[in-house]
Amino acid sequence: MLYAIIGEDVADSLERRIASRPAHLARLNELDAAGRMVLGGPCPAIDSPDPGPAGFCGSLIVAEFDSLAAAQAWADADPYVAAGVYARITVRPFRQVFPKS
C-alpha cells in the first residue's frame, strides 16, 4: 500500500538540511531503486522553486510500504529526524487516483 510521509521542518532548518541531505537522499534512492517510490521532494518556504536562504518548510514522500507501522518506522529513521530538521512527521495511508496507473 502507498503511504504519504509529511515532514514539517523546525524553524531555520536549512543548514541542518544541507548537512544531512546526502544521507536522506541515499535512503530515497534505495526506495526508488526498489520500485517503491512514487514521488518525493521538499516544500519551499516561499513561492519559488529555488527558495535560496528562505529554505524549506517540509517534505513530502509518497512510497509503498508493507504496513503503516513499516512506513512510520522508515520515516522515524530518516536522517532529517536525527539531524533535527523535522519538528514532526505525519504518516498516512494514501490511495493514488491520478495519474491513473
Side-chain angles (χ1 to χ4, degrees):
M1 180 162 182
L2 296 179
Y3 295 89
I5 300 170
I6 303 153
E8 297 177 53
D9 284 25
V10 299
D12 301 316
S13 64
L14 187 57
E15 286 184 28
R16 286 179 260 188
R17 265 185 173 267
I18 291 168
S20 53
R21 189 169 189 261
H24 172 76
L25 291 179
R27 295 179 82 235
L28 295 176
N29 282 324
E30 289 174 12
L31 278 180
D32 192 42
R36 296 170 45 203
M37 174 68 76
V38 174
L39 64 88
C43 301
I46 60 174
D47 190 12
S48 172
D50 182 6
F56 300 91
C57 61
S59 302
L60 170 64
I61 297 164
V62 177
E64 184 178 347
F65 292 90
D66 290 335
S67 66
L68 178 58
Q72 185 71 59
W74 185 91
D76 290 343
D78 194 288
Y80 281 178
V81 172
V85 172
Y86 291 150
R88 77 182 130 275
I89 297 178
T90 303
V91 180
R92 294 190 174 142
F94 181 80
R95 190 175 127 214
Q96 181 176 350
V97 176
F98 291 100
K100 295 177 182 180
S101 52

